[in-house]
Amino acid sequence: MPGILYLCATPIGNLEDITLRVLSTLKEADIIAAEDTRNTIKLLNHFNIKTPMTSYHEYNKYDKAEYLVNKLLDGENIALVTDAGTPGISDPGEEIVKKAYQAGIQVTSLPGACACVTALTLSGLSTRRFAFEAFLPSDKKERKTILNSLKEETRTIIIYEAPHHLKNTLNELYQALSDRKITICHELTKLHETVHLHTLSSAIEYYMQNQPKGEYVLVIEGCKIKELETKKQEEYKNMDITEHMDIYLSEGMSKKEAMKKVASDRGIPKREVYNSLLK
């Protein structure tokens, strides 16, 4: 029988946040696949766990995933851990999960600490809907595309950031999103955990005076739906109605459907659209 791949959530700071189920799985697994064995050994030593480890990280995730899947097919159980938090969230875990499923191997996730959810619950912002962006891409073109896409994002936005990039990222967010509410969570669950409620402009000013240290999670207010609707209506009003109609007709809408959509976009009666087209 093939083994099972266990995705084991580990603490993001406070070691007491580990679950009993994760501890027993780490003890009973045949192998622990760790993003950084030097980091994970501290956790294992603390709980007196002697299970052998192997490295599985961003730079070996394809070849090593094949190796680990073969181990699973041979009947060995593998516990996958990341440096902190839940495997597969902004780390190479997703690759081995994909390959395990392709090989017909059972995968199960052992829930626990997750920095993005912890920060969201602490943020004081809307938690009903959120968009998790993890770390913004380093490629300038791709980064700009992502930032532009966030301008009209109505969900609460969550971004991870390292201390040496924080100031630059806050400035880029301000340029892209204008001034929004932002909650900056620092060193979550650790001794010096801080949660600061800012606007983007006040956050920029704060970190001009205070040097960033440690890991950060940024939780940013989404664009208000009413503001977005008003903005779009203004954009549409500056567009010729015929041109506006052509957008929807080119998408395969009937004239009747397109007229209804144009009227809704512009906040005007459908009859006004019809009369304008007649002229």
Side-chain angles (χ1 to χ4, degrees):
M1 291 288 290
I4 298 173
L5 176 63
Y6 295 91
L7 311 179
C8 298
T10 53
I12 57 176
N14 192 319
L15 293 181
E16 292 184 9
D17 289 336
I18 200 163
T19 69
L20 295 174
R21 186 180 173 205
V22 167
L23 285 176
S24 64
T25 300
L26 293 177
K27 289 175 182 177
E28 295 166 10
D30 296 296
I31 307 171
I32 295 172
E35 187 175 8
D36 188 336
T37 55
R38 296 165 302 178
N39 184 63
T40 301
I41 194 64
K42 298 173 188 175
L43 177 73
L44 300 188
N45 287 341
H46 182 83
F47 291 105
N48 196 30
I49 296 170
K50 306 298 184 183
T51 307
M53 276 193 298
T54 188
S55 64
Y56 175 75
H57 49 71
E58 184 65 30
Y59 302 104
N60 71 356
K61 64 181 179 181
Y62 298 111
D63 293 339
K64 198 59 175 283
E66 295 283 355
Y67 168 81
L68 292 172
V69 165
N70 286 330
K71 288 284 186 184
L72 288 159
L73 289 171
D74 287 340
E76 296 190 30
N77 292 322
I78 296 177
L80 179 70
V81 297
T82 183
D83 279 351
T86 302
I89 302 295
S90 189
D91 80 358
E94 60 182 313
E95 184 61 31
I96 191 173
V97 170
K98 191 188 307 179
K99 289 190 180 295
Y101 279 131
Q102 289 169 353
I105 290 163
Q106 182 183 347
V107 181
T108 187
S109 182
L110 282 58
C114 185
C116 63
V117 175
T118 304
L120 179 65
T121 59
L122 284 171
S123 69
L125 299 173
S126 173
T127 60
R128 192 176 73 84
R129 299 167 63 245
F130 65 94
F132 176 56
E133 288 292 336
F135 288 93
L136 293 173
S138 55
D139 178 81
K140 288 184 179 180
K141 187 175 180 182
E142 189 181 352
R143 191 180 181 92
K144 186 177 180 181
T145 300
I146 295 293
L147 287 167
N148 284 336
S149 74
L150 295 178
K151 288 180 180 179
E152 297 184 353
E153 177 57 73
T154 57
R155 295 170 294 179
T156 301
I157 303 160
I158 304 173
I159 293 172
Y160 290 164
E161 195 49 278
H164 52 289
H165 292 311
L166 181 65
K167 292 180 183 180
N168 182 59
T169 296
L170 289 172
N171 277 293
E172 287 181 308
L173 288 167
Y174 180 80
Q175 293 299 320
L177 310 179
S178 299
D179 215 4
R180 300 256 190 105
K181 289 180 182 178
I182 179 172
T183 299
I184 300 180
C185 299
H186 170 243
E187 297 291 87
L188 285 170
T189 78
K190 298 177 184 176
L191 182 62
H192 300 293
E193 172 185 286
T194 59
V195 179
H196 288 159
L197 278 62
H198 288 283
T199 60
L200 280 167
S201 60
S202 69
I204 291 167
E205 186 177 347
Y206 177 84
Y207 286 105
M208 285 176 67
Q209 308 298 324
N210 298 273
Q211 189 63 25
K213 294 178 181 178
E215 299 301 316
Y216 291 86
V217 184
L218 314 180
V219 188
I220 307 150
E221 180 182 38
C223 178
K224 290 184 172 60
I225 292 175
K226 284 188 177 181
E227 288 180 6
L228 183 59
E229 288 175 347
T230 301
K231 180 184 174 185
K232 285 191 172 182
Q233 281 185 4
E234 290 302 317
E235 289 175 358
Y236 288 135
K237 284 175 182 177
N238 292 326
M239 184 187 297
D240 182 83
I241 285 183
T242 304
E243 184 184 353
H244 197 165
M245 279 285 292
D246 286 342
I247 292 172
Y248 294 119
L249 293 173
S250 66
E251 293 175 359
M253 283 190 186
S254 68
K255 287 185 178 179
K256 186 176 180 181
E257 289 173 326
M259 285 173 60
K260 186 176 179 181
K261 194 74 173 69
V262 168
S264 174
D265 288 345
R266 302 170 83 93
I268 60 176
K270 193 165 66 173
R271 170 63 60 180
E272 191 174 326
V273 176
Y274 178 74
N275 289 337
S276 179
L277 292 171
L278 281 180
K279 291 176 184 178

